[in-house]
Amino acid sequence: MQGKTVVVMGVANRWSIAYGIAQALVREGASLMLTYQAERVKKSVEDLARDLGGASVHWCDVSQDDSIAGFFSQLQGRALDGIVHSIAFANKEDLDRPFLATGRAGFSLALDVSAYSLVAVARAAAPLMTSGGGIVTLSYLGATRVVPNYNVMGVAKAALEASVRYLASELGPQQIRVNAISAGPIKTASARAIKDFSSILDQVAARAPLRRVTDTAEVADTAVFLLSPLGRGVTGDVVFVDSGYHILGI
Ligand code: NAD
Ligand code: IMJ
């Protein structure tokens, strides 16, 4: 990844999957630009950027078109080689009660932040990816299977995975590849709040073919592969990095 510039969106703290991906990209020689959602996390993202050997840090709230436009306009004239989209959000109450209770506003919010944002970001980034490039997003098994409490996030991930295919089809002629990594459960800030998360991790460790839970570093290495020339033949796909859990019937 030497000489390549990658935008990493979704670092909030050192447990973020995006931070693990950023570390692996730096190890492979990439230059990084990190984006953060809100003032609340700016300071900690700046500290993490220093630990990464000096990535630049920029505000980009993907729920606001102006914020996306503002961030990418700062990059005019600079070539981009990759984007990591590691962002999701739903109202906590929609992950705590039956899916049937999901209201219009909560459904719209989850799909907007977690799925539409990939389309908006890809549209803004594509003109800067003048030598082609890679876009990687993060998904979860709940996109295609029913996982208790995942609810509206599952519907959002289904939309995200379909968006990956449509974007890959349209951006392929420009040699821009678009893929998702479906990661197994990892104890990040977005997962910590989920009730019984520890028992989900125990189940995966007991039953997955590899008999262990997914490590952020494993997800990160697959992201590097997909963004690098090693992944040059792969687009529009969902690659599972989940200890093989998704192959199980019972
Ligand atoms: P995380 O909380 O560290 O990351 C989520 C990120 O989304 C945060 O950095 C947050 O600031 C960002 N975000 C939310 N709303 C935003 C907005 N409007 N604009 C910009 N950024 C916004 O948790 P994580 O587990 O690292 O999640 C990263 C991705 O991985 C998510 O897409 C999640 O669905 C996916 N994923 C997580 C797991 C898991 O078990 N942790 C498994 C599979 C997939
Ligand atoms: C999330 C909810 C329910 C079950 C879940 C998860 N399982 C896993 C997750 C089994 C692995 C984590 N995950 C894959 C996510 O995509 C999480 C997204 C998320 C989490 C929160 C918690 C805090 C909040 N809003 C959120 N929005 C999205 O307020």
Side-chain angles (χ1 to χ4, degrees):
M1 297 300 288
Q2 211 78 48
K4 297 202 192 287
T5 302
V6 180
V7 173
V8 179
M9 317 183 87
V11 175
N13 52 55
R14 69 188 141 98
W15 298 283
S16 293
I17 294 172
Y19 183 60
I21 295 173
Q23 288 177 304
L25 286 167
V26 166
R27 181 191 73 211
E28 301 301 331
S31 302
L32 302 190
M33 308 181 75
L34 306 185
T35 68
Y36 65 92
Q37 177 196 359
E39 215 50 40
R40 178 170 46 81
V41 292
K42 180 178 182 182
K43 174 75 172 64
S44 53
V45 176
E46 282 171 347
D47 291 345
L48 293 171
R50 259 191 302 279
D51 295 346
L52 288 167
S56 59
V57 175
H58 311 262
W59 174 62
C60 186
D61 181 335
V62 298
S63 67
Q64 301 181 37
D65 285 333
D66 295 355
S67 182
I68 296 173
F71 168 61
F72 283 98
S73 70
Q74 289 171 41
L75 307 187
Q76 291 309 321
R78 215 174 140 177
L80 257 189
D81 302 289
I83 303 274
V84 175
H85 173 281
S86 184
I87 289 172
F89 188 77
N91 285 327
K92 181 80 173 76
E93 65 194 34
D94 287 331
L95 307 173
D96 282 339
R97 60 180 183 191
F99 174 64
L100 198 58
T102 310
R104 195 180 296 274
F107 188 99
S108 181
L109 173 69
L111 275 278
D112 183 30
V113 173
S114 314
Y116 176 74
S117 64
L118 182 73
V119 183
V121 165
R123 183 168 58 247
L128 305 177
M129 301 176 100
T130 46
S131 314
I135 300 176
V136 170
T137 187
L138 273 296
S139 192
Y140 177 61
L141 185 62
T144 55
R145 313 281 183 84
V146 174
V147 174
N149 299 110
Y150 203 56
N151 300 1
V152 72
M153 272 309 307
V155 177
K157 292 302 191 188
L160 179 73
E161 292 183 4
S163 300
V164 162
R165 291 185 284 273
Y166 280 93
L167 291 170
S169 168
E170 292 184 3
L171 295 173
Q174 297 163 60
Q175 304 309 309
I176 298 171
R177 297 180 294 103
V178 188
N179 292 287
I181 295 173
S182 186
I186 299 173
K187 207 157 194 159
T188 64
S190 284
R192 227 173 271 278
I194 308 315
K195 61 173 184 287
D196 299 332
F197 196 76
S198 295
S199 78
I200 291 169
L201 292 176
D202 292 345
Q203 286 247 8
V204 170
R207 300 183 52 240
L210 297 180
R211 297 288 192 277
R212 53 181 171 78
V213 296
T214 301
D215 195 46
T216 300
E218 299 170 339
V219 175
D221 286 347
T222 298
V224 170
F225 155 71
L226 288 170
L227 292 169
S228 81
L230 292 174
R232 66 194 175 280
V234 184
T235 196
D237 215 354
V238 180
V239 179
F240 283 82
V241 180
D242 70 342
S243 302
Y245 187 84
H246 73 284
I247 70 171
L248 298 178
I250 298 176

